Amino acid sequence: MRPIRVVGDPVLSTPTRRVEEVDDELRTLVADMFDTMAAAHGVGLAANQVGVDLRVFVYDCPDEKGDRARGVVVNPVIETSDRPETMPDPDDDEEGCLSVPAEQFPTGRAEWARVTGTDLEGAPVAVEGTGFLARCLQHETDHLDGVLFFDRMTSMQSLTYLDEYSRYHAKDED
């Protein structure tokens, strides 16, 4: 297992480097990422979340039918349907992140996503889904681009949640 980097660490806001070679070091990293993700009860983990600036992520989350989708994508490229520009539904669009512990926010995501890249053997891979799987694919690809989920908030949403966050944490100081 590897320590998970948390918000404020510069590695999380820096776009990652393309993987040039799949070797034993990368295979070890991926195995460690799966172990780390499982221990943290996560559904996805990007390499920069464990401090490695390579373009690779692992996932283990249910697809739209509830079946388990599990794998690794090296050098992912994402396609999505249109992302909503309205306030997300607080009941259906809540999202969390292992790098932002104990916080969840409604986050607008495209309903459909498709990620293409390669696996650890260098073979082409494509992962496509709607709903929760689409959310996971977008979330992990965003990490590799240096984007955290709260960076996706609308301006109005940011003001609302920052105000709530400030009031909540002000109570901690009392």
Side-chain angles (χ1 to χ4, degrees), residues 12-146:
L12 296 173
S13 58
T14 305
T16 54
R17 299 181 289 127
R18 181 174 174 74
V19 173
E20 298 298 333
E21 179 183 1
V22 175
D23 56 15
D24 288 342
E25 189 174 327
L26 183 66
R27 287 183 185 90
T28 298
L29 169 66
V30 167
D32 290 351
M33 289 171 63
F34 273 115
D35 290 344
T36 302
M37 177 181 64
H41 306 290
V43 295
L45 189 67
N48 55 342
Q49 288 182 274
V50 293
V52 179
D53 72 336
L54 290 176
R55 194 161 182 82
V56 60
F57 73 81
V58 298
Y59 62 95
D60 188 354
C61 64
D63 66 12
E64 59 275 4
K65 297 173 189 166
D67 295 329
R68 183 174 161 188
R70 185 176 196 273
V72 57
V73 184
V74 177
N75 296 325
V77 175
I78 192 164
E79 301 170 66
T80 67
S81 56
D82 291 337
R83 293 182 186 190
E85 294 184 21
T86 58
M87 290 282 283
D89 184 330
D91 296 324
D92 292 332
D93 295 332
E94 192 156 276
E95 190 168 317
C97 179
L98 296 176
S99 292
V100 187
E103 297 294 337
Q104 293 188 338
F105 300 104
T107 306
R109 295 287 187 181
E111 179 58 27
W112 171 85
R114 180 175 193 256
V115 172
T116 56
T118 63
D119 63 16
L120 290 178
E121 305 306 317
V125 64
V127 185
E128 181 175 346
T130 59
F132 191 69
L133 179 56
R135 179 176 295 279
C136 178
L137 297 173
Q138 292 168 80
H139 183 105
E140 299 313 323
T141 304
D142 271 355
H143 269 300
L144 299 176
D145 293 333

